[in-house]
């Protein structure tokens, strides 16, 4: 059950929130260190762009498969055990990359780590929803997003910089240790077991879920293409790729918390369309700038699309889905949202890697901008039609 807390006490005085934020920063920081490095290693070893993109795709496929079963694990074992298992599967297996960076071993390790990531993503999102009252949900998810994005802001460029100046070996070691250390923060979390779903309440209406789910899935697909392919697209300027990824994560801090505050004060769902507009505008600018590798337009496009816009889409879509689900189904709602996020990231890495191989990197972001503009809008139209049909029936 949710932990009772007086709203006036603030997020950082809510029992479990500081530990949840530290755990999120450590676990996702370890993930971020390796995210752009492993595909780059595959590429430098002679693999194609499509194969490099498939590393993230396999990771995310294992993540999504695992996420399907996490709500049941939360009900059986509680959040702390699921989070601890996720950290141990995400981190230590990366040490096996010290033995081989050939395609098959890398893909196998990615699959194992992806299963741990699946546990972490669902359990950490559901945990925050359990810890705070409804009137603080937008800011709480935003604060957790800040912790995660801050860790990514450090981890994404750090992994590339360490590899460039030394080798991939210390990156693999760091990626193993940091998530394992997150277990220390997990021991400070309150014991929470997800409540059983009340089947009498029925399923969450598809009309309510479709738009936020498509919004996060298609925005994450664009991010998947950026994180996996940008270091390859400007491999001769690896430091610039690191800065772009850092700027994206830094701007995400603002986007997520701003959307959460907006949601709590003015209503759930109102920030989604402006957030998608930021993503689309930034992607258009990024597509133009990618042809010349001009640093300033690349940085501005990254801040708009993958920072402000993507951060706001993440927070607003998550709060929309939690609100539709209600407190007895936070685990299932978290799984649904995270499946959209991670399936989108994996699909984007693979599909946009194929676009890069066929047409070049500028087209990667042009295709992504078109998809962000069209797909959620189509989902909104279909969702409204389904809603009217349900009301008429």
């Amino acid at each position: 059950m949710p932990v009772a807390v007086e709203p006036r006490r603030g997020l950082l005085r809510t029992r479990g929130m500081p530990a949840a934020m530290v755990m999120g920063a450590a676990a996702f920081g370890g993930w971020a260190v390796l995210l752009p490095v492993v595909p780059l290693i595959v590429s430098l070893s002679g693999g194609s762009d499509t194969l490099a993109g498939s590393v993230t795709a396999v990771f995310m496929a294992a993540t999504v498969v695992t996420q399907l079963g996490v709500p049941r694990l939360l009900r059986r074992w509680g959040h702390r055990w699921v989070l601890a298992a996720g950290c141990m599967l995400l981190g230590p297996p990366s040490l096996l990359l010290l033995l081989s960076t050939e395609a098959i071993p890398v893909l196998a390790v990615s699959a194992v780590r992806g299963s741990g990531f699946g546990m972490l993503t669902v359990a950490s999102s559901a945990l925050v929803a359990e810890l705070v009252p409804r009137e603080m949900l937008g800011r709480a998810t935003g604060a957790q997003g800040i912790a995660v994005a801050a860790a990514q802001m450090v981890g994404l460029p750090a992994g590339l910089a360490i590899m460039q100046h030394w080798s991939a070996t210390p990156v693999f070691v760091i990626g193993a240790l940091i998530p394992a250390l997150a277990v220390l923060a997990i021991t400070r979390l309150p014991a929470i077991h997800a409540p059983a779903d009340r089947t009498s309440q029925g399923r969450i209406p598809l009309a309510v879920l479709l738009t936020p789910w498509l919004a996060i899935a298609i925005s994450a697909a664009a991010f998947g293409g950026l994180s996996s392919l940008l270091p390859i697209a400007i491999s001769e300027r690896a430091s610039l790729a690191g800065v772009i990824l850092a700027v994206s994560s830094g701007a995400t801090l603002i986007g997520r918390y701003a959307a959460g505050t907006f949601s709590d004060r003015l209503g759930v769902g109102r920030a989604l369309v402006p957030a998608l507009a930021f993503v689309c505008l930034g992607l258009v600018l990024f597509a133009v700038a990618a042809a010349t590798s001009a640093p300033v337009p690349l940085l501005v496009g990254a801040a708009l699309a993958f920072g402000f816009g993507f951060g706001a889409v993440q927070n607003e879509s998550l709060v929309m889905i939690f609100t539709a689900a209600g407190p007895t189904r936070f685990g299932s709602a978290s799984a649904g949202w995270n499946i959209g996020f991670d399936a989108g990231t994996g699909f984007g890495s693979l599909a946009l890697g194929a676009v890069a191989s066929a047409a070049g990197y500028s087209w990667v972001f042009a295709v992504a901008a078109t998809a962000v503009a069209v797909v959620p809008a189509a989902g909104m139209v279909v969702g409204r039609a389904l809603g009217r049909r349900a009301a008429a029936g």
Side-chain angles (χ1 to χ4, degrees):
M1 296 296 294
V3 177
V5 62
E6 292 292 334
R8 65 177 179 270
R9 295 182 65 186
L11 287 174
L12 294 182
R13 296 184 64 187
T14 301
R15 185 186 176 203
M17 272 301 297
M21 293 175 68
V22 171
M23 178 275 301
F28 287 86
W31 167 73
V33 165
L34 289 175
L35 180 63
V37 169
V38 178
L40 182 57
I41 284 290
V42 171
S43 177
L44 293 176
S45 299
S48 65
D49 289 342
T50 302
L51 179 59
S54 71
V55 172
T56 303
V58 167
F59 182 99
M60 291 304 174
T63 295
V64 170
V65 170
T66 303
Q67 285 168 339
L68 294 171
V70 175
R72 180 175 297 179
L73 293 176
L74 290 174
R75 291 191 293 269
R76 180 175 178 83
W77 298 106
H79 293 70
R80 289 188 298 186
W81 282 107
V82 175
L83 287 167
C87 287
M88 297 309 295
L89 287 172
L90 175 65
S94 65
L95 293 174
L96 296 175
L97 297 175
L98 297 172
L99 303 178
S100 174
T101 55
E102 296 296 322
I104 292 178
V106 168
L107 292 175
V109 170
S110 295
V112 174
R113 295 181 64 244
S115 65
F117 193 66
M119 294 181 182
L120 278 167
T121 51
V122 174
S124 61
S125 297
L127 171 68
V128 172
E130 298 282 0
L131 289 173
V132 301
R134 169 62 192 89
E135 59 267 26
M136 296 174 66
L137 183 56
R139 282 167 289 165
T141 56
Q144 178 74 344
I146 286 175
V148 171
Q152 292 177 359
M153 184 170 61
V154 175
L156 288 169
L160 290 171
I162 291 170
M163 178 181 169
Q164 183 179 21
H165 289 287
W166 289 282
S167 69
T169 297
V171 182
F172 297 152
V173 173
I174 292 170
L177 290 179
I178 296 178
L181 293 175
V183 175
L184 297 176
I186 293 171
T187 63
R188 305 296 299 172
L189 293 172
I192 299 174
H193 279 72
D197 290 354
R198 296 176 182 173
T199 55
S200 61
Q201 291 182 340
R203 295 181 180 276
I204 308 171
L206 177 61
V208 177
L209 296 180
L210 189 60
T211 298
W213 193 87
L214 286 175
I216 189 59
I218 204 68
S219 300
F223 175 75
L226 174 83
S227 59
S228 293
L229 300 173
L230 181 65
I232 302 171
I234 55 175
S235 58
E236 73 284 357
R237 303 172 70 184
S239 59
L240 176 60
V243 171
I244 290 172
L245 293 173
V247 167
S248 301
S249 296
T252 300
L253 301 176
I254 302 172
R256 285 205 66 156
Y257 198 76
T261 302
F262 192 91
S263 177
D264 284 347
R265 293 180 177 176
L266 300 178
V268 176
R270 295 180 181 271
L272 188 63
V273 172
L276 288 168
F278 271 113
V279 175
C280 190
L281 177 62
L283 282 168
V284 171
L285 179 59
F286 209 87
V288 173
T292 61
S293 296
V296 173
L298 285 172
L299 290 169
V300 173
L304 288 176
F306 305 108
F308 301 129
F310 188 38
V313 169
Q314 288 177 54
N315 216 75
E316 191 67 3
S317 60
L318 180 58
V319 174
M320 289 172 72
I321 289 175
F322 275 145
T323 301
T328 63
R329 293 179 292 197
F330 282 150
S332 297
S334 178
W337 183 85
N338 278 287
I339 286 170
F341 189 114
D342 297 325
T345 302
F347 175 78
S349 299
L350 187 61
L352 295 177
V355 171
S357 295
Y361 291 101
S362 291
W363 279 101
V364 166
F365 303 106
V367 169
T370 303
V372 169
V374 172
V375 174
M380 193 174 299
V381 172
V382 172
R384 288 175 178 174
L386 291 172
R388 287 194 298 268
R389 179 181 297 180

